[in-house]
Every structure is written in C-alpha cells, then in structure tokens.
Amino acid sequence: MTDEADARTPAPLGPGSLTWRYFGDTRMLLVGPRAAVLQNMLPALGQGVLDHSVFFAETFARVRRSAGPILETVYGGERSAATGRRVRDHHREIKGTLPDGSRYHALDPETYYWAHATFLDTMLYGVETFVRPLGEDDRRRIYEESKTWFRMYGVSDRAMPDDWDAFQAYWKRMLDEEIVPHRTARYGVGYVTKGLPAPPKVPAPVWRAVSPPLNAVARFITVGGLHPRMRELLDLPWSAADERRHRRFAAAVRAAGRVWPLLPEAVRYLPPARRAFRRARRTGAV
C-alpha cells in the first residue's frame, strides 16, 4: 500500500507555491472547523476517530496535535516527506468494523485521500471567502500543488483525481452521496447548540459571564464556515440573515487585506509557516 508510493515522492512544495502562501495564513482560522467536521462525516473516518481517538475526551488537544504535523508536511521543505510518512504511520493501526459489518482502515486510499481533500477544500474556501477571488488558473495550480502535498504521505494515490475538473466531480459526488451525519461529526459541532465547555481552571461565575459572547462567536464562525450540505445533514440552523451577516464579515476581512502585508509575520502566519519562510529567506529561496 505504501512502498510504491514512497518511491514516487516528489520534491516538496516551496515558497513559490500558492499553497505556501495561503495554507498557513492565519485568516484560514476564520473558516472554523470545516475540514475536521467534513472528515468525520465520511463513515470510515468518523468511525476510526470514534474507536481509536482521544477526540471525545481531549477534543482541542487532539486538534492541536493533528494540525502541527499536517502543516509541517506542507512547510517542512526537505523534511516534508519524512513528516508525511510519520503522519501516515500513525494511522497504521487505526482499523475496525463499521456498524454495517464492513471493515475500515485509515490507510485505505479512498479514506486517506478524503481527509486530505478536506484540507484542500478548506484552503480554497478560506482564500475565496476571506482573502481574494481565485481565477480558474489559480484553482488548477493549487490543485496540482495538492497532488504533490498528498504524495508526501507515501500513501497510494489511486483515489486522487487526475486534475481539477475530475476533483470537482469527485467533490460533488462525495457531498451528494458519501457523507453522513456521523456521531463523531455531530459531537464536533455540539458546542454550537450546547455552548463551549468551561475551561477547567476558569471559575464558574467568570465563565457564566464571558461564555455567552464566546458561544455566539463560536457558533457564527463554525456554522458560517460549513458547506450548506453539512449544515443540512447536521441539522444546524442558519438563516438568511445569518448568511448576510457572514458575507458582510467576510467582505470586511477581505477589505482589510489591503493592510495585511504591513502586519508582522507573527500575526499573518502560523508558526510552521513562519519558520519555513525564515529558512527560505536564509537560503535565498525568496
């Protein structure tokens, strides 16, 4: 499943790629947990998390631990492939049985590619919503870069669409026919209706005072960043007024993009991206 893929690992992405420019941009955080929720709506992936992950007990810790290696697979330079293979190997024992009796394995190419595809979708959505419109050439370029990125994991790429047009057909089919409101995905957005869990060291009176606005922001960011099909399946309310507010918010963020390049890099990029750009500047790659 992996040896042949290891042998085909290409040169990693670099500072000239659009993926480097955008994947670690902090504005992508405004999309909310779109990728994580979408991943868990594929039955095999949602079941794997349910059966093997600490997601339910340590939700935010698990997200932090997962995000770092994914970012390093993009921004690690010559270390990207080694990081990608470590991410892959962490999933070797994630396997089991679905409720219908069929078997699942995290390294099944279709399952593993779905997880990757959700990151690509989130980046594309985040850029077009909060940064700038993307032309067709840019979308095709980002898709080709995503193929290089996926091959860093050393997993069979047989499930990966050949080109951007094929990916769009794949994505439509997955949303229309394959995703479900899996228990893991429902749990991942439960705070939208139940409120954020109180941090363990925050006194109850303080949390009661500060949680209402935090809950409102969390709901707005989370539900606003979901695809309409996700909202439908997960029964998450989102009115026409909500949509208008979210579009105004996105337009304001895009307008602020005029001053974005003037802000410190520590504000504009997540730590793995900042480290990668510093390395590139030292070597004259940018």
Side-chain angles (χ1 to χ4, degrees), residues 96-260:
T97 305
L98 291 166
D100 65 3
S102 61
R103 303 287 295 172
Y104 72 84
H105 193 298
L107 291 184
D108 287 338
E110 291 77 10
T111 302
Y112 206 91
Y113 183 73
W114 169 249
H116 175 72
T118 66
F119 290 120
L120 170 62
D121 162 75
T122 291
M123 178 170 60
L124 290 168
Y125 172 80
V127 172
E128 297 221 69
T129 304
F130 295 113
V131 182
R132 67 175 179 90
L134 288 171
E136 192 68 9
D137 288 346
D138 283 343
R139 295 189 191 99
R140 292 180 184 278
R141 178 178 168 187
I142 289 173
Y143 182 69
E144 290 301 313
E145 291 171 1
S146 81
K147 293 164 66 175
T148 298
W149 169 11
F150 183 70
R151 288 176 175 137
M152 294 294 123
Y153 297 113
V155 175
S156 167
D157 62 6
R158 73 176 188 228
M160 182 167 64
D162 289 337
D163 54 30
W164 171 241
D165 294 326
F167 177 80
Q168 291 182 88
Y170 161 85
W171 193 252
K172 184 177 187 305
R173 176 179 64 81
M174 295 299 290
L175 292 185
D176 289 347
E177 303 175 15
E178 301 294 336
I179 63 172
V180 300
H182 193 277
R183 175 185 169 188
T184 308
R186 287 191 180 278
Y187 180 86
V189 294
Y191 62 85
V192 167
T193 54
K194 299 176 183 177
L196 294 164
K201 296 184 179 180
V202 175
V206 174
W207 184 246
R208 283 195 297 271
V210 302
S211 61
L214 292 178
N215 287 331
V217 171
R219 176 190 177 276
F220 182 74
I221 294 295
T222 296
V223 185
L226 301 183
H227 189 282
R229 175 65 171 157
M230 299 169 68
R231 296 182 199 134
E232 173 192 355
L233 290 174
L234 295 169
D235 297 319
L236 293 174
W238 188 252
S239 68
D242 289 329
E243 181 66 19
R244 288 192 296 272
R245 284 192 290 271
H246 194 268
R247 290 186 179 185
R248 288 196 296 269
F249 168 62
V253 175
R254 290 194 303 272
R258 291 191 294 269
V259 300
W260 191 252

Side-chain angles (χ1 to χ4, degrees), residues 10 42 54 71 89 118 129-130 150 173 177 262-263 271 275:
L42 186 72
V54 298
L71 283 158
D89 291 346
T118 66
T129 304
F130 295 113
F150 183 70
R173 176 179 64 81
E177 303 175 15
L262 305 177
L263 299 177
R275 291 193 295 268

